[in-house]
Amino acid sequence: MRAMELARFTVDPSDVEAMLQARPAMLAALRERFAGFESLRLVRLDEWTWLDVVVWASRAQADEAAAKIGEIPQCRAAFAFIKEMVSMEHAEIFFAGDRAA
């Protein structure tokens, strides 16, 4: 069953452009390193607060990635702009409008 990762974090508004510039390299690294990686969406909730919405092929693959992501230089570079990690949750996807879960 597919899984979703929801990571809520804050970024200083003065760092937003640099954080966004680091994202394409992070995305490429996720695709290269983790076979279960399916998609990444970055959404802005307010001036300081952001949410990464990541879809994985399975919960086990999401958990594996969470344990190893800090080892990937491109991910560390993108994460360097995070001021506070507010929350991190994983959930199983039971229904998806884009395709079957």
Side-chain angles (χ1 to χ4, degrees), residues 14-78:
S14 66
D15 290 334
V16 168
E17 284 304 315
M19 184 260 303
L20 292 174
Q21 289 175 3
R23 285 294 171 136
M26 181 178 113
L27 177 60
L30 289 171
R31 285 183 174 143
E32 180 180 313
R33 178 78 185 262
F34 300 108
F37 173 79
E38 292 189 9
S39 68
L40 168 66
R41 301 281 191 279
L42 174 66
V43 297
R44 187 165 145 178
L45 301 173
D46 60 40
E47 186 179 12
W48 281 80
T49 312
W50 297 78
L51 182 68
D52 267 335
V53 180
V54 188
V55 176
W56 298 95
S58 72
R59 174 66 188 260
Q61 289 169 315
D63 290 341
E64 175 189 356
K68 296 180 179 180
I69 202 162
E71 301 169 7
I72 301 170
Q74 297 91 332
C75 295
R76 282 196 315 267

Side-chain angles (χ1 to χ4, degrees), residues 81-100:
F81 300 101
I82 294 175
K83 298 300 178 200
E84 178 187 2
M85 178 59 75
V86 176
S87 65
M88 168 76 79
E89 298 176 296
H90 290 96
E92 293 178 331
I93 300 172
F94 279 82
F95 177 83
D98 57 343
R99 68 177 210 178

